Amino acid sequence: GSLEWQMKMMFYSDNNSAISKKAWKSIPYPHIGWGEDQVWAWTIVQLGLKKYYANNSIVYHSHDDDYKTRLKVSGIEKDFFYENFGIKLFHSEEQAKATKNAMNNNDKQFSVKNGISGEELENQVLLNEASVIGRSGYES
């Protein structure tokens, strides 16, 4: 299958999830420093087990990152996907720039619609930059 399909099959976030006791005992999380939920999800899919996505579930989850922290975490994420799955999150500087622009546009639309302050939007734009640079290695 496509890389996009693999990423969807791998995606699993234990920020808002439930695992059956039977599955947990049979296939516990791997002991790794980061991304254990993603590795676990890919493992169960490869074993023929299923995971379900509840489209109507809601969770509030956030990080109060600054630029430096977001850059570091995004770099860890980049290395994680490559080392564990052979996946490069970005393949070109142009792709990184396009992604950053799309993120910024989405955040600008959200801020206008929801009355988010200009200062908060500026901070989010900086965090978007850190995310893209960290995940791509390209100065976007």
Side-chain angles (χ1 to χ4, degrees):
S2 73
L3 177 59
E4 182 179 354
W5 182 250
Q6 181 183 353
M7 295 289 287
K8 286 180 181 179
M9 291 298 97
M10 290 167 39
F11 181 77
Y12 179 79
S13 176
D14 55 16
N15 296 321
N16 187 24
S17 64
I19 302 172
S20 75
K21 192 174 194 178
K22 182 178 177 182
W24 181 258
K25 285 185 174 187
S26 299
I27 309 163
Y29 271 15
H31 295 285
I32 58 177
W34 196 91
E36 63 283 346
D37 47 358
Q38 302 284 324
V39 171
W40 181 85
W42 186 233
T43 300
I44 68 158
V45 167
Q46 289 179 312
L47 292 172
L49 300 173
K50 295 180 181 175
K51 61 186 186 80
Y52 296 93
Y53 178 72
N55 195 34
N56 61 348
S57 67
I58 297 172
V59 63
Y60 293 99
H61 176 88
S62 68
H63 297 272
D64 192 20
D65 293 349
D66 59 15
Y67 187 93
K68 184 177 176 182
T69 302
R70 181 67 59 92
L71 185 65
K72 179 181 175 185
V73 170
S74 295
I76 291 168
E77 183 177 34
K78 174 186 70 141
D79 294 343
F80 164 79
F81 276 102
Y82 188 74
E83 291 167 7
N84 287 276
F85 306 112
I87 294 172
K88 285 183 71 173
L89 298 176
F90 290 92
H91 294 282
S92 69
E93 188 171 358
E94 293 76 27
Q95 184 185 23
K97 286 180 181 181
T99 298
K100 184 183 78 170
N101 289 338
M103 292 169 71
N104 289 344
N105 288 335
N106 286 338
D107 289 334
K108 287 173 188 173
Q109 290 175 12
F110 181 86
S111 69
V112 168
K113 182 179 178 182
N114 294 285
I116 305 296
S117 74
E119 183 179 341
E120 285 183 77
L121 176 59
E122 286 177 30
N123 185 54
Q124 185 58 47
V125 166
L126 286 173
L127 293 175
N128 290 346
E129 178 181 80
S131 293
V132 171
I133 291 171
R135 290 177 183 151
S136 70
Y138 297 110
E139 296 290 327
S140 60

